Amino acid sequence: MTKYFSSFAISVDYSNGKISGIAPIQRHLVDLKNHFFDRKVVEEMLSSGLNPLIYEVYEAFQPSEPGHLNFGTTVLNPGKIGEEYFFTKGHHHVRDCGETYSFFKGKGIFLLQTKNGETAEMPLEAGTTIYVPPGWAHRMVNVGKEELISIFCYDAAAGHDYGSIERTGFAKLVVERKDKTQIIGNPFFRRSDKKWTLGEVT
Ligand code: M6P
Ligand code: ZN
């Protein structure tokens, strides 16, 4: 016999992305230290006790079985590590499935890539809704001066695969150079054998 779960409602504060009754997952610089391009700046900051909060995720998790949906909000703070803007770690899904993100505050860039090397970038502002099809890794980058906040929804059985991105990196980086936001190629993409340090760009 089918087991029915109870329906429920949550309350999202649209000014700051917080969801009442949900404790956020927090990611600080130390949790992303292998993801930022400029390892030297990361090491200097961490060794001098600087470990900023990069983002928070308020997520209503459901049983991880087909049919259910996980949903919640992501609050990505403004800031940079060296030239590179703050971003979410980024992931593939273990079980290929789509995801939607609806942005209601801030300014950003959404980065997508497949394991075959295709890439896509989309500008983000309040009102933008993104559909991430199955097979595309995804990351959001905050290029604005305030928080970048979105509501997301995806298959509760999807799972997060972070390992693939940790091994290859994202193909594109979003940086501020000459007072401009620029999307540049990542010189270390797919070079997981390399210990990244500035100055090794070939
Ligand atoms: C969205 C959802 C979450 C995810 C979060 C942060 O809010 O996709 O499932 O955890 O983004 O992204 P990441 O897991 O890459 O750190
Ligand atoms: Zn996802």
Side-chain angles (χ1 to χ4, degrees):
M1 201 203 290
T2 306
K3 182 177 176 202
Y4 289 100
F5 288 80
S6 300
S7 53
F8 64 95
I10 55 168
S11 177
V12 178
D13 183 333
Y14 279 84
S15 69
N16 58 23
K18 292 183 194 300
I19 300 180
S20 59
I22 296 182
I25 296 162
Q26 297 191 317
R27 294 218 208 275
H28 293 83
L29 176 59
V30 71
D31 305 309
L32 297 165
K33 65 179 185 197
N34 297 324
H35 293 75
F36 282 103
F37 170 77
D38 194 334
R39 300 296 167 93
K40 197 161 164 267
V41 171
V42 171
E43 277 158 29
E44 280 167 7
M45 286 179 72
L46 292 176
S47 60
S48 57
L50 290 173
N51 184 23
L53 176 64
I54 311 283
Y55 60 99
E56 292 186 305
V57 181
Y58 295 79
E59 184 151 0
F61 288 105
Q62 310 309 316
S64 56
E65 48 194 62
H68 282 290
L69 298 170
N70 286 342
F71 62 102
T73 56
T74 309
V75 182
L76 175 57
N77 287 327
K80 282 182 296 168
I81 300 299
E83 298 179 309
E84 195 173 16
Y85 294 100
F86 283 6
F87 51 62
T88 56
K89 207 179 242 198
H91 56 264
H92 281 277
H93 292 147
V94 178
R95 180 176 166 271
D96 262 351
C97 71
E99 182 162 1
T100 62
Y101 288 86
S102 293
F103 290 82
F104 57 88
K105 185 176 177 185
K107 204 174 153 221
I109 308 274
F110 204 83
L111 297 177
L112 300 116
Q113 68 188 43
T114 66
K115 291 182 179 170
N116 295 333
E118 295 150 283
T119 62
E121 305 101 41
M122 293 173 196
L124 304 171
E125 60 183 11
T128 307
T129 294
I130 300 275
Y131 175 58
V132 181
W136 290 78
H138 39 287
R139 158 179 288 173
M140 64 186 91
V141 184
N142 186 346
V143 303
K145 303 252 179 286
E146 55 184 5
E147 297 98 334
L148 178 67
I149 310 181
S150 59
I151 289 195
F152 61 88
C153 183
Y154 66 102
D155 186 332
H160 293 77
D161 164 19
Y162 293 107
S164 307
I165 291 303
E166 266 169 42
R167 280 190 293 280
T168 65
F170 265 79
K172 299 286 174 67
L173 306 176
V174 187
V175 298
E176 185 181 66
R177 278 189 187 161
K178 298 178 184 157
D179 293 329
K180 286 209 173 82
T181 297
Q182 299 188 24
I183 301 172
I184 61 170
N186 177 0
F188 302 121
F189 181 52
R190 290 199 170 133
R191 289 174 59 183
S192 53
D193 55 318
K194 264 287 202 202
K195 197 166 189 313
W196 296 4
T197 50
L198 265 193
E200 281 189 330
V201 182
T202 52

